[in-house]
Amino acid sequence: MHTAGPTSQTFISQRLRLNYLDWGGRGKPPLVLVHGGRDHARSWDWTAEALSADYHVIAMDHRGHGDSDWVSDGVYSAGDMVYDLAQLIHQLGVGPVRMVAHSMGGNVSLRYAGAFPDMVTKLVAIEGLGPSPEGRAKQRAVPYPERLAEFIEKKRKAAGRSPRKYESIEAAFARMIEENAYLTEEQARHLTVHGVNRNEDGTYSWKFDPHLNVWPVEDIGDEFIEALWGAITCPTLLLYGADSWASNPEKDGRIAHFKTASVIEFEKAGHWLHHDQFDRFIATLRDFL
């Protein structure tokens, strides 16, 4: 990184103190960056640096992530995260905005754009549609009572589990590389340094709440999420990695629920395509935004 970097700011949402990064440039078109699950706002640093000359870039830490507060009950819902995003934009008074989001953040941003179509002028969602129709069908093949019982058992285990401790930054860095082999060493070290806290005993732990490993049994009904997608009015770009586990909506039929969306698939990229194929990703953003 070659700039002085962003300033770290906070805002309040549902009594939580949430963190966001402001890259400056007030008066320029606002661009909000929304990270994915178990990630953090500093994962957007390369993107922000590339675009901050042209946009007022803001990157938020979701509740339970990065330098934002954890929730007291350990329950994280997409609806609450949509509220947080709405609060950020409302409190900053920067709307309407352009938005770029990844994975869980893409899911949240698509819902926000459907609920507040006048507040988003351009939207890029990287693998943000959630489980594929095939994946949902597989989940729902298990009777709901069994899934609810399994959820409760997982929550009990999560409640008694302390965040994993790593003896050194190098050990945490090795885990980061294991999670995404496409990352360069520079990328992995940057994501690791900004993704951990140092514990009192000198070890390191990831900043995200361990309860984020346990998601609610069901979200909202399919017809409701499809209605939100259909309510989006701004030009929307859905990006997918050819080597990702995520299902391409052009191939599984979900693109039919959008009025203004198109899909681009990136070769030699997985779920974090904005890291895996950074130069092509930035070129795509410049053309679209």
Side-chain angles (χ1 to χ4, degrees), residues 22-234:
D22 191 323
W23 287 80
R26 289 191 176 276
K28 298 175 183 176
L31 173 63
V32 177
L33 307 177
V34 190
H35 70 76
R38 300 184 301 177
D39 210 335
H40 50 82
R42 297 306 299 253
S43 67
W44 291 114
D45 279 4
W46 297 279
T47 300
E49 184 182 52
L51 299 178
S52 59
D54 300 314
Y55 298 96
H56 175 196
V57 180
I58 298 159
M60 68 177 291
D61 278 325
H62 285 292
R63 57 177 58 203
H65 295 76
D67 295 319
S68 288
D69 285 350
W70 294 5
V71 300
S72 60
D73 60 3
V75 176
Y76 293 89
S77 74
D80 287 332
M81 291 182 175
V82 174
Y83 182 86
D84 296 340
L85 179 57
Q87 276 297 94
L88 172 67
I89 295 170
H90 174 72
Q91 290 193 22
L92 292 181
V94 294
V97 302
R98 290 168 171 82
M99 198 173 293
V100 178
H102 174 236
S103 194
M104 180 193 76
N107 195 321
V108 169
S109 298
L110 288 163
R111 296 181 193 210
Y112 175 81
F116 301 97
D118 294 338
M119 293 298 291
V120 186
T121 57
K122 296 280 184 71
L123 174 59
V124 178
I126 306 166
E127 304 201 352
L129 271 64
S132 67
E134 181 181 357
R136 285 193 180 277
K138 185 176 181 180
Q139 291 171 348
R140 291 168 180 167
V142 178
Y144 185 84
E146 293 182 27
R147 287 189 286 145
L148 180 58
E150 181 182 14
F151 165 79
I152 291 172
E153 184 61 27
K154 287 181 177 178
K155 286 293 290 182
R156 285 194 184 122
K157 290 180 179 178
R161 187 183 301 127
S162 299
R164 180 177 175 180
K165 293 184 175 182
Y166 296 86
E167 289 300 319
S168 65
I169 283 283
E170 289 301 316
F173 163 75
R175 179 69 184 94
M176 180 69 71
I177 287 288
E178 181 183 335
E179 183 71 15
N180 183 9
Y182 277 109
L183 291 173
T184 65
E185 180 173 329
E186 178 191 3
Q187 288 173 323
R189 288 192 182 280
H190 183 85
L191 295 171
T192 301
V193 167
H194 290 289
V196 295
N197 284 320
R198 193 162 196 177
N199 302 309
E200 189 172 358
D201 61 2
T203 61
Y204 297 85
S205 295
W206 300 115
K207 290 180 176 180
F208 65 82
D209 187 343
H211 277 278
L212 286 160
N213 291 310
V214 185
W215 285 90
V217 182
E218 281 285 341
D219 189 11
I220 58 176
D222 293 350
E223 66 272 28
F224 301 125
I225 189 67
E226 290 164 5
L228 284 167
W229 293 341
I232 297 171
T233 58
C234 68

